[in-house]
DNA sequence: TGTAAAATTGTCATATAGTGGAATTTTTTC
DNA sequence: GAAAAAATTCCACTATATGACAATTTTACA
């Protein structure tokens, strides 16, 4: 069968005008490298690491090229799910869910179960006819149980949680988001994962400000609001993350409005809207205006 | 020797509460997976790919964990170089250069030569006593020759070029930057590489506006300026890339100023400064003000 | 606490990753 | 355009990645 990574390697090597001898030197034999490049043998992870290092290329970029400039499977799964969700494409969502359920049955690895659950959450939001709320409850608990148990949250856990957060109880969200922040700390310097953390924090704050306690007179989660804002401020240190900073401004405004500080809050949100207009991000500006009208 | 990736894999697998059997199922035998995880065998790239896929994790994240949450060697090289450059740490720069030269001699792979060159460029900017300009000229040409020959520019080529661009002749920069834009097109959806492209385009425009033709009465590169701005506008489509959008605004302002449209230009740059202040990016705002004073 | 079931490890067989050097092809050089 | 040099492939051989199944350890459950 053989995935023929070697052929991609040969292409890259030729590009960089490096000979078999030069690349193999100190790593493996010339003849073997040739064999691998011709697709007549697989290669050990250890050797491949050294080879890519010499080529000044990392694994993901290499695999991206190998798969004809397509993102990896993990990425594809999350993109496919969120695209189908945004397009309200119920059919596609169902199909994606079935794929994951099938794998779950086949290997009984819970991960696939969680994946199916994520899509079920999307489905339940998009599809009005979908009323099997009872079924979900238990399953959602399974998911949050898992998230509590994991010691280190990576890209997968963060993205999974981000997608299902809306259906959880507020106490649960507060605890889990705090956990997410703490247990992903070691990824603070890994851009991709760190973006996922930021995303979780923003969604948590939005959740607290919005849907949860729309019907309460007073705002219940003042302390938590400050807590998560402070996490964000700690993470979003780079001055150049303007979008995140603007988002922060917006949420502070929304908070003011929610806690009967309407004037001050409106000023902040309007300022954010103006900033977006100044930078020609018109669609975002319009969305934010809608949001403002909604919360006033 | 064996890099013992297996031990990291075991950790990740335990985290996700997956058994050997479940993970191995359909990929390899249980006993082999166990052996690999105990560090008693290396593994084939093909198998590893399938295993990570099942764990919903990509290679880079896995290797990041494996190397105790340190970025990969490629990343480390560029960070080390640029940090030493920003800190004007001549000693460290020299050390880094020698490392690369040593590898160059050892394997006679030109890549290491280019790496050394990049650092030499940094060195020549930082170290006033460094006057061996003659030596560089030829070597810099070697580098640009290489860049012209490569068919696909990846993260390495883009970052390398970005660092050495300042020392090239304007005609060369224009040609190479255009090449960079065209030959990296297939990475348009790969965030990391795409950021590098954006960075190249910005630096090109800054170069055209600034250092090159400071002493000419009229601005020579109007057409090229528009060309590269249009590339940026094509790339920077996502409305949420505020920093890039702000940067664009700034450069348009600088262009106006350079082409005797002082008032209009100053307004644009001042607007950019104000935006930064609004978002508490004070240091960036101050830098931009300095820049403005300099070009007026 | 003992026992059954599940999960992991050990043992040995074999397929294949990887080596050294000769043979062939490609590139360079005059 | 032929000879020399460099790069690659072929071939016979060795080391090790991987599989089948038995033995052992760990976990679950009464």
């Amino acid at each position: 069968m053989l995935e023929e990574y070697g052929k991609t390697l040969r292409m890259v090597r030729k590009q960089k005008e490096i000979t078999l001898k030069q690349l193999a030197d100190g790593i493996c034999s010339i003849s073997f490298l040739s064999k691998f490049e011709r697709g007549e043998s697989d290669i050990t992870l250890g050797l491949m690491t050294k080879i890519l290092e010499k080529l000044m290329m990392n694994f993901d970029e290499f695999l991206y090229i190998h798969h004809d400039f397509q993102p990896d499977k993990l990425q594809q799964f999350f993109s496919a799910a969120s695209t189908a969700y945004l397009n309200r494409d119920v059919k596609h969502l169902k199909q994606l869910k079935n794929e994951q359920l099938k794998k779950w049955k086949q290997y009984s690895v819970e991960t696939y179960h969680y994946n199916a659950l994520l899509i079920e959450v999307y489905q339940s939001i998009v599809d009005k006819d979908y009323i099997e709320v009872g079924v979900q409850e238990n399953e959602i608990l399974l998911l949050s149980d898992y998230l509590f148990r994991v010691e280190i949250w990576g890209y997968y856990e963060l993205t999974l949680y981000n997608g299902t957060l809306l259906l959880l109880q507020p106490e649960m969200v507060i605890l889990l988001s705090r956990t997410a922040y703490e247990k992903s700390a070691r990824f603070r310097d890994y851009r991709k994962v760190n973006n996922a953390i930021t995303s979780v924090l923003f969604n948590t704050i939005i959740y607290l400000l919005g849907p949860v306690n729309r019907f309460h007179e007073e705002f219940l989660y003042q302390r938590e609001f400050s807590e998560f804002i402070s996490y964000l401020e700690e993470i979003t240190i780079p001055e150049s993350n303007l979008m995140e900073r603007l988002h922060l401004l917006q949420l502070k405004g929304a908070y003011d409005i929610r806690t009967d500080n309407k004037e001050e809050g409106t000023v902040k949100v309007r300022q954010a809207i103006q900033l977006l207009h100044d930078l020609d991000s018109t669609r975002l500006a319009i969305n934010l205006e809608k949001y403002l009208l909604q919360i006033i």
Side-chain angles (χ1 to χ4, degrees), chain A residues 40-268:
Chain A
E40 286 171 23
S41 175
D42 203 339
I43 195 173
T44 268
L45 185 57
L47 287 188
M48 193 62 183
T49 309
K50 288 181 191 164
I51 287 173
L52 286 180
E53 210 170 276
K54 204 167 193 172
L55 290 173
M56 302 293 275
M57 182 174 274
N58 67 12
F59 263 95
D60 278 356
E61 186 173 344
F62 177 79
L63 293 172
Y64 187 79
I65 295 174
H66 178 71
H67 294 120
D68 207 26
F69 297 85
Q70 297 297 314
D72 57 64
K73 290 274 170 65
L74 173 62
Q75 203 62 246
Q76 280 182 33
F77 170 71
F78 282 127
S79 317
S82 96
T83 306
Y85 168 64
L86 292 172
N87 298 337
R88 306 180 168 278
D89 183 345
V90 180
K91 251 187 199 164
H92 194 196
L93 282 174
K94 264 185 192 156
Q95 185 205 322
L96 286 170
K97 190 172 90 177
N98 286 335
E99 276 172 27
Q100 296 307 122
L101 287 176
K102 197 178 148 197
K103 285 186 188 172
W104 181 36
K105 266 182 198 154
Q106 188 175 354
Y107 304 116
S108 68
V109 169
E110 279 301 306
T111 308
Y112 295 122
H113 188 187
Y114 306 142
N115 293 347
L117 256 164
L118 169 70
I119 298 174
E120 200 165 323
V121 169
Y122 287 162
Q123 230 176 315
S124 75
I125 298 174
V126 169
D127 193 348
K128 310 286 179 192
D129 305 334
Y130 196 96
I131 330 193
E132 308 173 45
V133 189
V135 186
Q136 287 174 40
E137 286 280 324
N138 310 325
E139 298 199 307
I140 285 282
L141 281 182
L142 268 182
L143 175 63
S144 43
D145 273 355
Y146 165 70
L147 290 172
F148 274 121
R149 286 197 305 272
V150 186
E151 287 297 324
I152 298 176
W153 286 40
Y155 180 78
Y156 174 70
E157 283 77 18
L158 288 163
T159 312
L160 187 68
Y161 173 54
N162 219 357
T164 51
L165 168 158
L166 275 179
L167 285 209
L168 298 173
Q169 297 303 312
E171 293 72 29
M172 191 64 104
V173 169
I174 289 166
L175 286 174
L176 270 176
S177 292
R178 193 179 289 139
T179 308
Y181 177 73
E182 287 162 358
K183 292 193 173 172
S184 60
R186 303 202 64 189
F187 283 107
R188 212 49 56 82
D189 293 324
Y190 189 5
R191 210 170 199 288
K192 196 172 156 182
V193 179
N194 207 36
N195 285 341
I197 303 173
T198 310
S199 202
V200 163
L201 293 175
F202 276 127
N203 277 335
T204 305
I205 293 171
I206 290 169
Y207 173 85
L208 290 180
L209 284 173
V212 205
N213 51 13
R214 197 174 302 160
F215 307 111
H216 291 80
E217 256 317 298
E218 50 167 356
F219 180 56
L220 288 172
Y221 301 105
Q222 310 223 4
R223 195 185 312 157
E224 286 77 9
F225 177 85
S226 315
E227 179 186 350
F228 288 113
I229 288 281
S230 78
Y231 293 159
L232 268 174
E233 285 175 334
E234 198 160 313
I235 285 184
T236 320
I237 295 168
E239 292 206 345
S240 51
N241 285 357
L242 295 191
M243 189 65 211
E244 280 79 3
R245 284 170 174 252
L246 186 131
H247 220 138
L248 214 55
L249 179 65
Q250 166 196 347
L251 291 178
K252 283 178 180 170
Y255 173 76
D256 287 346
I257 292 172
R258 190 65 184 74
T259 54
D260 291 329
N261 220 330
K262 277 213 167 127
E263 275 183 54
E264 209 173 316
T266 311
V267 169
K268 283 180 186 160

Side-chain angles (χ1 to χ4, degrees), chain A residues 12-24 54-55:
Chain A
V12 172
R13 178 174 65 79
K14 292 275 179 188
Q15 281 260 333
K16 308 214 175 201
E17 299 171 315
I18 297 175
T19 67
L20 281 172
K21 185 183 171 177
Q22 290 170 334
L23 185 53
K54 204 167 193 172
L55 290 173

